[in-house]
Amino acid sequence: MSRSVRDGVTVSTFEYAAPGGQHLLLDLYRPETAGHPAVTLYLHGGGWASGGRADHAEHRALALARRGIAVASLDYRLVPVARFPAQLEDARAALRWIRERGDDLALRVDRVGAWGASAGGHLAALLGMAPGTPREGRTSPEHADAVVAWAAPTDIAALARRSELETRVLPPSREAALLGMTEIDGADPRVREASPCRMVRVGSAPFLLVHGDRDRLIPPEQSAGLHRDLVAHGVESTLVLLGDAGHEDEAFHRPFVLDMVAAFLTTALGAPR
């Protein structure tokens, strides 16, 4: 384990899982404040094929920790070495790891959040969906209690849909690569299981969805559609469109956006105790 202190935030690195012998690490950003802060996972973007736990750390993990929320930013297995649901399994393993070590890390883990951007937002959204039937409720330690999803793909079939001409001139879709397909088949159960909008159930976690209104990579309708599905199931959901902002735009790092994320997670997860 490595440890450093940056601007009042302790940053520690841990191994949280080793699927197939691949050592997966997370960086824990813990505010040096009294009490046990609430904690959220952070899952990076990169089309499920690139990126790492240190991406945008200064503007995201560190910025949120300075606002009183501990952040566990993690690496997860990437395409093409690993196909879905490996990425989701890694995120669930990280949730279990955090919950099991709450006392040792001086964290409040009775309720844990999930936050992600782009591909990471997709995984965070899946973590927030209620397992099983509505009657069973959300009792699994592998499911998040609040979700913040930035510019997240939520409907895999709709996002990957292409005309014959588009199929010829565009590169293979990231979504197909995620599922190990050459072309997305909307009838394949894997497509449903990988689409947050298809997995919404009564009792899912509250959501804060943020999207740039000129995102040309992941259309804003992906967040808007999930928002409608959540509300239709009686799930608390807030949708924020950032004006004149593109995909993972610097606009996401504006203080008011991060203040909003911190306020949402503090309310949903509880203040430090």
Side-chain angles (χ1 to χ4, degrees):
M1 182 190 80
S2 64
R3 183 178 182 274
S4 62
V5 179
R6 299 169 62 181
D7 298 331
V9 175
T10 299
V11 185
S12 305
T13 301
F14 302 91
E15 179 179 315
Y16 73 88
Q22 182 175 345
H23 300 283
L24 297 177
L25 306 179
L26 63 77
D27 292 334
L28 178 64
Y29 297 78
R30 188 188 182 283
E32 289 294 291
T33 55
H36 289 52
V39 60
T40 183
L41 296 187
Y42 177 76
L43 298 121
H44 65 82
W48 305 284
S50 64
R53 66 187 190 279
D55 291 359
H56 303 288
E58 178 71 29
H59 299 108
R60 298 182 187 180
L62 269 171
L64 197 63
R66 293 186 189 113
R67 287 165 169 81
I69 304 289
V71 179
S73 184
L74 58 131
D75 289 329
Y76 52 85
R77 285 173 288 173
L78 300 173
V79 171
V81 174
R83 309 294 187 184
F84 185 85
Q87 297 76 17
L88 182 59
E89 291 169 353
D90 295 343
R92 287 173 173 166
L95 264 181
R96 291 195 306 271
W97 189 93
I98 284 288
R99 291 189 194 275
E100 290 168 0
R101 290 160 179 79
D103 288 341
D104 294 339
L105 299 172
L107 298 172
R108 180 173 184 172
V109 295
D110 51 329
R111 299 178 67 80
V112 178
W115 173 29
S118 193
H122 161 263
L123 298 173
L126 287 173
L127 286 176
M129 299 306 168
T133 65
R135 187 178 304 171
E136 292 171 342
R138 294 176 55 256
T139 58
S140 170
E142 299 178 347
H143 288 75
D145 297 287
V147 174
V148 179
W150 285 0
T154 67
D155 187 336
I156 297 299
L159 193 59
R161 189 176 297 126
R162 295 178 177 184
S163 68
E164 182 179 343
L165 175 60
E166 289 169 334
T167 300
R168 291 202 304 268
V169 302
L170 293 176
S173 76
R174 292 176 296 274
E175 296 75 30
L178 174 68
L179 297 175
M181 301 177 177
T182 55
E183 185 175 341
I184 289 291
D185 176 3
D188 192 306
R190 291 176 294 171
V191 176
R192 176 182 180 276
E193 292 165 3
S195 298
C197 68
R198 306 290 182 86
M199 301 302 289
V200 177
R201 296 186 178 97
V202 174
S204 293
F207 271 70
L208 172 61
L209 301 163
V210 186
H211 218 114
D213 69 349
R214 61 174 181 83
D215 191 329
R216 295 179 179 86
L217 187 61
I218 305 295
E221 176 58 26
Q222 289 281 308
S223 285
L226 178 58
H227 171 70
R228 290 192 296 270
D229 292 334
L230 290 164
V231 171
H233 283 79
V235 178
E236 178 187 334
S237 177
T238 300
L239 172 65
V240 177
L241 290 179
L242 297 180
D244 198 33
H247 189 71
E248 288 210 61
D249 198 290
E250 285 299 313
F252 285 84
H253 302 152
R254 292 173 183 166
F256 86 88
V257 177
L258 291 160
D259 288 346
M260 179 172 54
V261 171
F264 170 78
L265 290 173
T266 298
T267 299
L269 303 177
R273 63 185 183 190

